[in-house]
Amino acid sequence: MGEWKLINANQAAAHAARLARAAVIPAYPITPQTTVVETIEEFIHEGIMDAEYIRVESEHSAMAAAIGASASGVRTFTATSSQGLLYMGEVVFWAAGSRLPIGMVIVDRAVGPPWNIHTDHQDAMSQRDSGWIQMFVSSAQEALDSVITMYKVAENPEVLLPFMVCIDAFILSHTYMPVNVPDQAEVDSFLPTYRPPHWMLDPDLPVDMGNLVMPMEDYMEMRWSIHTSMEKAKELLNQISREFAERFGRDHGGLVKAVDLEDADVAIVSLGTLSSEAEYALKRIDTAKTGLLKVRMFRPFPREEIIKLLKDKDVVVVLDRSISFGHSGPLAMEVRSALYGIDEAPKVVNFIVGLGGRDVTYKDIVSMVNFAIKVPEDEVFPCYWYGLKDRIRSLRLKGVI
Amino acid sequence: MSESKEVEMVLPISYPSPGAMGKTGIWRVFKPVIDLSKCIKCWQCWLYCPEDTVVMEGDHPKIDYEYCKGCGVCKEVCRAGAISMIREGG
Ligand code: SF4
Ligand code: SF4
């Protein structure tokens, strides 16, 4: 079923918005996201998608319009990247705080200065604590399937939180791959029409959204409510992903996807396309039995899976395409904190790689794993920058590899 | 220290009611005063007042000073120059 097309992840995301019957699309262009909203505009123009398309004047307005649309009770979709997401930032928090299940694709791009349009996860990481569900994908097919799956998770009456599906710039956004585009009827039977369970904007019953609260009123309770819904989203994502796999015959995993992990001594942990490169690297590592844990959902964070699948490993190699300046890679921080306090916890070795789109090949990943195995047990908080230019001294890895 | 996994929706939604934030008239520094002899009954002040505190009384506008915050929007939109802002307690 469905139809095979040769498309890139941006077009796949646009198909997902169409198939999900998103009814309002506030659109503002930014490289490398632009072709997501451009493709949607073409669908509307061709008459194969029925949606209100709003050409807004900025990303801040895009999210403000999405909030208004979603609050009026319709499924809403937009997309952005990098500086656009940062400019949108204030209203990104409002969307989550207002409990509106808006869908957004982030085409992850480096943050300036200096200007750089290539992939880097720092844009998405900057919104980590916004209350949005964050999913990272590693193929165009996974992008399409995840947008549809995530609407079902986000619109659940016990979740009601917005979600972002994060796509690596160019590596996914502009690379053409065979993608199975499902039939409308298949998607309709999986994803029901969105009906807000609690309230919506209605002139006959006016509501105030986000009114002032005093410290003794419900602010803290609302934060707690978002947090518990995030925990609920974990359970639902695993369940709904299984349902998706059964219906559509494609299994991308749930919160995480493990590859050859069961009897491995070494585990690679990564997000986005680094995972597909790491999967390719696995067969070329001959120094230790190595498996891969692809983290799909970053918020809520799959700590239970991390503990269960990694606690018995000797070495965990975490690849971060992002840096939290003055500390380490964001994924490594989370993995370390999940494993803290476990008896004979694995040694976690973090590599900062591929910032601003610098290429990371399977050969690099093989080198990093070989290096990580030799990092002494007593080294505190190992975190290395891999792939810096020689002139900055960099590679402590040199000589070893 | 609640470790409960139970989900309870606590939504940032409230239903509007007059004076939900108390008597906001006490926030006022400048008070809008309408000179009815200049008023041309165009109702711009009524339309623009963000607090809905300009009311229609018979055929003329009247300001509810219990809640008027003194923002001066009504004065800005009054083309007849019928509204002046007078310092409170002055
Ligand atoms: S000063 Fe502001 S609040 Fe008061 S009546 Fe004029 S517009 Fe309304
Ligand atoms: S805007 Fe001025 S002229 Fe018009 S109704 Fe109000 S006070 Fe009168």
Side-chain angles (χ1 to χ4, degrees):
Chain A
M1 280 191 289
E3 190 188 344
W4 285 97
K5 286 182 189 288
L6 188 65
I7 55 177
N8 60 42
N10 279 4
Q11 292 165 325
H15 277 288
R18 172 179 66 78
L19 291 165
R21 296 185 185 276
V24 177
I25 316 291
Y28 192 79
I30 183 169
T31 303
Q33 169 282 119
T34 308
T35 54
V36 177
V37 291
E38 261 177 16
T39 308
I40 291 177
E41 192 174 28
E42 280 164 23
F43 290 158
I44 295 172
H45 183 71
E46 288 167 22
I48 56 169
M49 181 171 177
D50 181 18
E52 188 81 29
Y53 193 87
I54 313 176
R55 291 173 191 83
V56 288
E57 68 276 52
S58 73
E59 290 86 356
H60 190 278
S61 305
M63 188 44 58
I67 288 173
S70 180
S72 77
V74 296
R75 194 168 284 147
T76 309
F77 177 88
T78 189
T80 193
S81 289
S82 181
Q83 316 297 132
L85 179 60
L86 299 188
Y87 186 41
M88 189 188 271
E90 188 213 358
V91 250
V92 166
F93 279 70
W94 270 88
S98 306
R99 311 305 301 265
L100 298 169
I102 296 164
M104 175 156 67
V105 158
I106 305 298
V107 182
D108 289 306
R109 159 187 150 178
V111 170
W115 287 116
N116 178 329
I117 56 170
H118 295 277
T119 200
D120 188 300
H121 294 161
Q122 192 166 32
D123 54 359
M125 290 299 166
S126 76
Q127 305 302 308
R128 184 193 66 185
D129 297 336
S130 61
W132 283 60
I133 297 170
Q134 291 184 312
M135 165 85 97
F136 285 80
V137 300
S138 54
S139 72
Q141 183 76 64
E142 191 182 354
L144 189 155
D145 296 346
S146 297
V147 169
I148 293 169
T149 307
M150 286 310 305
Y151 271 119
K152 191 156 180 170
V153 175
E155 291 169 2
N156 182 284
E158 290 192 277
V159 177
L160 292 178
L161 288 170
F163 68 88
M164 42 182 91
V165 169
C166 301
I167 292 175
D168 285 357
F170 297 101
I171 300 173
L172 290 183
S173 71
H174 287 63
T175 303
Y176 285 72
M177 301 169 224
V179 173
N180 184 283
V181 179
D183 300 334
Q184 185 66 63
E186 286 180 280
V187 176
D188 286 347
S189 70
F190 173 77
L191 181 66
T193 309
Y194 171 49
R195 303 220 184 282
H198 301 292
W199 65 281
M200 61 185 216
L201 290 184
D202 174 0
D204 293 332
L205 185 64
V207 293
D208 289 321
M209 272 168 72
N211 220 336
L212 187 70
V213 289
M214 301 303 280
M216 64 287 194
E217 291 174 314
D218 283 348
Y219 186 88
M220 196 161 161
E221 286 68 20
M222 289 177 203
R223 265 38 202 165
W224 171 81
S225 175
I226 292 174
H227 180 68
T228 51
S229 288
M230 275 279 187
E231 295 289 341
K232 181 74 188 177
K234 290 204 251 185
E235 180 187 321
L236 282 168
L237 181 82
N238 277 332
Q239 187 186 313
I240 294 172
S241 297
R242 272 195 301 276
E243 189 196 330
F244 185 95
E246 278 159 27
R247 282 188 186 231
F248 293 84
R250 290 188 292 273
D251 187 0
H252 304 288
L255 302 169
V256 298
K257 183 170 190 181
V259 182
D260 297 345
L261 199 57
E262 218 158 288
D263 24 74
D265 301 317
V266 175
I268 304 172
V269 184
S270 53
L271 298 168
T273 54
L274 283 173
S275 302
S276 21
E277 198 67 20
E279 191 168 344
Y280 190 70
L282 288 182
K283 298 173 202 71
R284 288 156 183 84
I285 298 165
D286 49 18
T287 44
K289 274 187 130 180
T290 307
L292 168 69
L293 187 66
K294 172 178 167 180
V295 175
R296 299 182 70 226
M297 200 178 238
F298 188 67
R299 276 296 178 276
F301 190 69
R303 55 174 180 268
E304 291 78 8
E305 275 88 347
I306 297 277
I307 295 169
K308 188 171 131 225
L309 296 165
L310 299 181
K311 66 176 185 338
D312 298 325
K313 305 298 165 208
D314 298 333
V315 183
V316 172
V317 181
V318 186
L319 310 181
D320 267 291
R321 202 186 265 281
S322 175
I323 173 71
S324 176
F325 296 119
H327 191 23
S328 73
L331 180 60
M333 280 190 242
E334 312 297 24
V335 170
R336 279 196 172 103
S337 84
L339 295 173
Y340 180 78
I342 286 171
D343 266 352
E344 300 193 33
K347 173 173 75 179
V348 178
V349 183
N350 184 201
F351 292 97
I352 308 301
V353 290
L355 303 191
R358 185 158 295 177
D359 209 11
V360 183
T361 68
Y362 68 92
K363 288 181 188 160
D364 296 320
I365 296 173
V366 172
S367 300
M368 285 184 265
V369 168
N370 289 341
F371 178 81
I373 293 167
K374 293 180 189 149
V375 169
E377 288 295 336
D378 56 357
E379 183 162 332
V380 180
F381 221 91
C383 174
Y384 302 92
W385 287 62
Y386 180 91
L388 285 176
K389 289 186 189 171
D390 286 354
R391 70 181 152 88
I392 322 179
R393 192 191 63 93
S394 132
L395 311 190
R396 290 180 59 186
L397 309 193
K398 264 191 152 179
V400 183
I401 52 177
Chain B
M1 277 123 294
S2 162
E3 276 306 313
S4 162
K5 280 215 167 179
E6 170 200 348
V7 176
E8 189 190 320
M9 284 290 159
V10 189
L11 302 167
I13 296 302
S14 52
Y15 293 90
S17 59
M21 284 307 298
K23 305 259 188 219
T24 48
I26 58 166
W27 298 10
R28 201 168 53 232
V29 179
F30 290 94
K31 176 180 179 172
V33 178
I34 304 177
D35 179 350
L36 288 176
S37 67
K38 291 188 187 160
C39 173
I40 56 170
K41 320 278 169 19
C42 67
W43 302 109
Q44 292 295 299
C45 53
W46 169 82
L47 186 63
Y48 276 90
C49 171
E51 301 307 324
D52 194 22
T53 54
V54 180
V55 292
M56 292 180 180
E57 189 167 83
D59 70 340
H60 64 270
K62 187 181 173 221
I63 293 167
D64 182 350
Y65 292 117
E66 291 267 274
Y67 300 112
C68 160
K69 294 197 274 197
C71 67
V73 166
C74 53
K75 184 215 171 233
E76 288 298 317
V77 298
C78 175
R79 282 169 292 174
I83 304 180
S84 5
M85 302 299 291
I86 316 264
R87 185 177 269 281
E88 287 286 350

